[in-house]
Amino acid sequence: MSDVVLVVGEADGDGLAEPTREAVTVARRLAGSQGTVLGFVAGRGASGRAAGFAAIGVGQVVVADDPRWDAAPPAALARPVAAAASNAGAFAVVVGGSSFGRDLVGGVAVALGASAANGVTEAERIPEGVRVRRPVFGGRATEERRLEGGRAVLSVRPHAFPAAEGPPTSLRPEPAPNAEPAPAQLAPARTAVAAASRGAGPGLADAAIVVSGGRGLRSPEGFRLVEELAEALGAAVGASRAVTDAGWRPTSMQVGQTGRTVSPQLYIAVGISGAIQHLVGMVSSRVIVAINSDPSAPIFRVADYGLAGDLFELVPALTAEVRRVRGS
Amino acid sequence: MEIVVCVKPVPEAESRLRANASGTAPDTDGVKFVLAGYDESAVEQALLLRQAVPGSKVHAVSLGPPSRTDEVLRAALALGSDSATAAESDAPPMADPIATARGLATAIAARGPCDLLLFGKQAGDDEEGLVGGATAEALGLPFVGFVVDLRFDAAASRLRFRRSVERGEESWESPLPLAVGLQQAWNDPRTATLPAILRSRKAPLARHAAGPGAAVAAASVAERFALPPPRQGAKMIAYRDPQQAASQLVRLLREEAKVFP
Ligand SMILES: Cc1cc2nc3c(=O)[nH]c(=O)nc-3n(C[C@H](O)[C@H](O)[C@H](O)COP(=O)(O)OP(=O)(O)OC[C@H]3O[C@@H](n4cnc5c(N)ncnc54)[C@H](O)[C@@H]3O)c2cc1C
């Protein structure tokens, strides 16, 4: 039985993105103490990124040092990744649960003749392959699935696992096997990137803490209370649809059924009633705090900690307390 | 432009969610299957492009048993799709998405030309978001997911769009053909008119057997489906004044929940 797991590395500047380090944690668990975790990087400067793998103890890295990958869509890597996995005899390919990873999984599975799952919160090696667990129906249920057929491709739900750490090892790069995508697959090109509009804070999708505000904030000015608390916590800012529909804040901040799905370590809902369309976007957060003046608001049913009271008093006090304990 | 939209039947949002008798999948007894929300937006996107690019056609394709696909295909027709194809398979509702993709790819290739292949972000039930990328790979098409604001630049004969991702918004362009996973409902999907609904009831559906095409060596097998035990409800923090409320909450987050730095 093979004991090799391939992890596809996503770039973040010159280094490896956080979701990739979470994928390495899962790959190590699957490979077991005797197994091998192999890295894969592509694009110009891939060798630099390979060093990011070595820094967390993954020394063996397949490198596709080819500038064509820089502007190409993530899915164009499906065939090269599948070829590298095949070549190494890997029984699993694991990627982080970012947009990069989620765009890649389906194509790799088809190219490899493997089964696949996105957004897993557990992964375990079993004789038939890999067993995964993942939230479904907007976090209202979980499913367990057996990925059979000897090969499995999966992406890891953000924040469900700790990011892998060292000790560092020496880098042993290997050239990627020669595998071309279909010519058309390289045709779409990225022409520009605009950094997230709220440049200061972390992005909503990968923040460890999210503070969201709702209609209870009453006005665009009132919404600043939420942003101040987020800043003190180093958190990303989210909003309910009541806020984005009213134009207080951009739609990109909306959490819920028609907005983003987040699953941070900590979600703080301020002046949000907890409509089902909002809940589906955040119920799988690890710890939920709700601040609302109405003790019977549905948000308290999914929250772990509740403060019933006036947010205009509670939030400034909380911001001050956070600043105090964090010593700023 | 020949636009193909893949649409998935999912349990109606209001239907009660519970596990089946063997505890391996959601119970579908008496559950109505409807067009998935994100797929409805994908149909809308297709119709907007057809309006913008004269001579375009919109084709809806859905995979599953007729008892589930026909309803959503007729919904897509009622909204304005030009044709509808059922890729017949006896796959259960939350079937292996890779097998689904292979079945869809076979049906799409057999249906005719395809310049633009559209998918909703993910289905409201299994939330895999795998089928778009997998179908594209099976057809040898390029795939881009998380797409918003998709437009066709007729002069340059190129699609232009943005991709909304963690680190910001990317601008993209691509020649045809292309497969796209749409990020979300930026558009307000239209509602079908009554005459259109009545017409769609009688419209012919093309049928294509996806059974053998969908069968692959590797497969994923559902083992368990469970609703989480209901959250117990929040621990309500009693307090004298806002300062004390804040310090209690911070202490609990640090010491009990261990989420606070
Ligand atoms: C198809 C569809 C899709 C949707 N998609 C989404 C989505 O993606 N995301 C989303 O969020 N919603 C979505 N909605 C809307 C959703 O149903 C709710 O209308 C919305 O979430 C309500 O936002 P809210 O909680 O901010 O406002 P409200 O429901 O008005 O709640 C405001 C809350 O603030 C509290 N409050 C007021 N004053 C104070 C105070 N001084 N101190 C403390 N608390 C106070 C109130 O008690 C109340 O609970 C969708 C709806 C539909 C039909």
Side-chain angles (χ1 to χ4, degrees):
Chain A
M1 206 155 72
S2 152
D3 55 4
V4 180
V5 180
L6 184 79
V7 177
V8 185
E10 175 184 5
D12 183 5
D14 293 333
L16 276 187
E18 174 96 357
T20 301
R21 297 209 289 136
E22 295 172 0
V24 169
T25 299
V26 173
R28 284 197 170 130
R29 290 186 192 176
L30 287 173
S33 53
Q34 305 301 312
T36 308
V37 174
L38 193 66
F40 178 100
V41 289
R44 199 182 353 233
S47 340
R49 224 167 302 134
F53 267 118
I56 53 169
V58 177
Q60 219 180 325
V61 183
V62 179
V63 181
D65 201 344
D66 182 334
R68 287 183 308 168
W69 302 121
D70 292 333
L77 282 172
R79 291 182 192 186
V81 167
S86 234
N87 213 31
F91 74 90
V93 176
V94 185
V95 299
S98 58
S99 54
F100 170 86
R102 294 181 69 97
D103 266 9
L104 189 52
V105 170
V108 174
V110 167
L112 202 53
S115 44
N118 255 335
V120 309
T121 53
E122 299 279 346
E124 165 197 12
R125 182 95 200 258
I126 52 170
E128 300 90 333
V130 175
R131 175 179 291 134
V132 297
R133 182 186 302 171
R134 44 194 301 282
V136 291
F137 285 93
R140 284 154 71 209
T142 33
E143 69 161 5
E144 275 175 29
R145 231 167 228 288
R146 205 164 63 225
L147 305 180
E148 296 187 337
R151 282 166 175 178
V153 186
L154 39 116
S155 76
V156 173
R157 193 173 175 96
H159 305 302
F161 297 87
E165 314 227 348
T169 183
S170 58
L171 178 63
R172 298 184 301 285
E174 307 168 6
N178 209 350
E180 283 292 305
Q185 291 180 325
L186 279 169
R190 181 171 49 227
T191 53
V193 184
S197 50
R198 330 224 113 229
L204 248 191
D206 45 19
I209 306 180
V210 173
V211 185
S212 279
R215 201 196 314 267
L217 276 309
R218 286 195 203 139
S219 66
E221 296 72 42
F223 198 84
R224 284 210 203 110
L225 288 182
V226 164
E227 285 157 350
E228 280 161 17
L229 175 57
E231 200 186 314
L233 283 164
V237 181
S240 74
R241 179 152 163 190
V243 167
T244 55
D245 271 359
W248 299 353
R249 290 297 181 273
T251 358
S252 56
M253 286 170 69
Q254 187 176 314
V255 171
Q257 185 184 319
T258 39
R260 288 177 190 269
T261 302
V262 298
S263 55
Q265 293 290 312
L266 173 61
Y267 187 90
I268 304 181
V270 178
I272 292 178
S273 60
I276 181 70
Q277 295 91 350
H278 186 79
L279 299 185
V280 297
M282 46 65 79
V283 274
S284 58
S285 305
R286 191 160 87 72
V287 175
I288 298 170
V289 172
I291 301 176
N292 196 305
S293 51
D294 174 5
S296 64
I299 189 76
F300 287 125
R301 291 208 283 272
V302 300
D304 299 282
Y305 299 102
L307 281 174
D310 184 1
L311 70 88
F312 292 98
E313 291 181 353
L314 289 165
V315 176
L318 187 54
T319 306
E321 177 68 8
V322 169
R323 288 198 183 123
R324 193 184 66 77
V325 300
R326 298 190 81 188
S328 55
Chain B
M1 182 160 41
E2 297 290 325
I3 308 170
V4 175
V5 195
C6 293
V7 292
K8 179 176 181 181
V10 299
E12 205 170 25
E14 292 73 32
S15 55
R16 185 163 149 219
L17 189 62
R18 59 176 174 215
N20 62 5
S22 59
T24 56
D27 186 12
T28 55
D29 209 27
V31 171
K32 189 171 175 226
F33 281 80
V34 296
L35 181 58
Y38 290 112
D39 295 348
E40 197 175 336
S41 305
V43 172
E44 177 68 23
Q45 176 71 74
L47 297 172
L48 290 174
L49 282 167
R50 182 182 66 184
Q51 226 166 306
V53 186
S56 298
K57 288 263 188 294
V58 173
H59 310 282
V61 179
S62 185
L63 179 135
S67 59
R68 291 200 301 270
T69 54
D70 291 10
E71 186 68 28
V72 307
L73 286 171
R74 293 197 192 282
L77 286 171
L79 289 169
S81 300
D82 297 286
S83 80
T85 302
E88 286 188 28
S89 112
D90 51 9
M94 285 167 60
D96 179 10
I98 302 301
T100 301
R102 289 184 191 275
L104 282 171
T106 315
I108 291 162
R111 198 211 60 79
C114 170
D115 300 311
L116 177 62
L117 181 55
L118 292 179
F119 296 88
K121 173 189 177 189
Q122 61 188 24
D125 55 355
D126 63 15
E127 301 187 336
E128 287 277 23
L130 280 171
V131 171
T135 308
E137 175 59 36
L139 290 165
L141 289 177
F143 174 77
V144 187
F146 299 86
V147 165
V148 296
D149 203 11
L150 178 62
R151 287 154 209 271
F152 186 68
D153 178 346
S157 192
R158 277 175 175 259
L159 289 158
R160 297 190 196 285
F161 51 90
R162 289 176 297 128
R163 189 165 174 268
S164 172
V165 296
E166 295 78 8
R167 274 174 281 283
E169 289 230 313
E170 305 172 343
S171 303
W172 286 78
E173 57 173 53
S174 175
L176 301 171
L178 179 69
V180 162
L182 294 162
Q183 164 64 10
Q184 63 186 57
W186 293 104
N187 50 16
D188 257 322
R190 66 195 68 190
T191 41
T193 62
L194 190 56
I197 293 172
L198 294 176
R199 265 198 311 280
S200 75
R201 296 279 124 207
K202 294 192 214 86
L205 303 180
R207 299 204 183 270
H208 178 96
V216 272
S220 70
V221 181
E223 290 189 314
R224 216 167 82 81
F225 180 87
L227 304 192
R231 287 214 191 211
Q232 299 182 329
K235 177 188 248 184
M236 299 304 287
I237 300 170
Y239 59 91
R240 286 189 315 272
D241 55 64
Q243 285 67 35
Q244 197 232 350
S247 65
Q248 274 208 68
L249 177 60
V250 168
R251 189 181 54 75
L252 285 167
L253 292 177
R254 276 197 141 158
E255 291 169 15
E256 192 176 89
K258 302 197 190 321
V259 283
F260 193 71

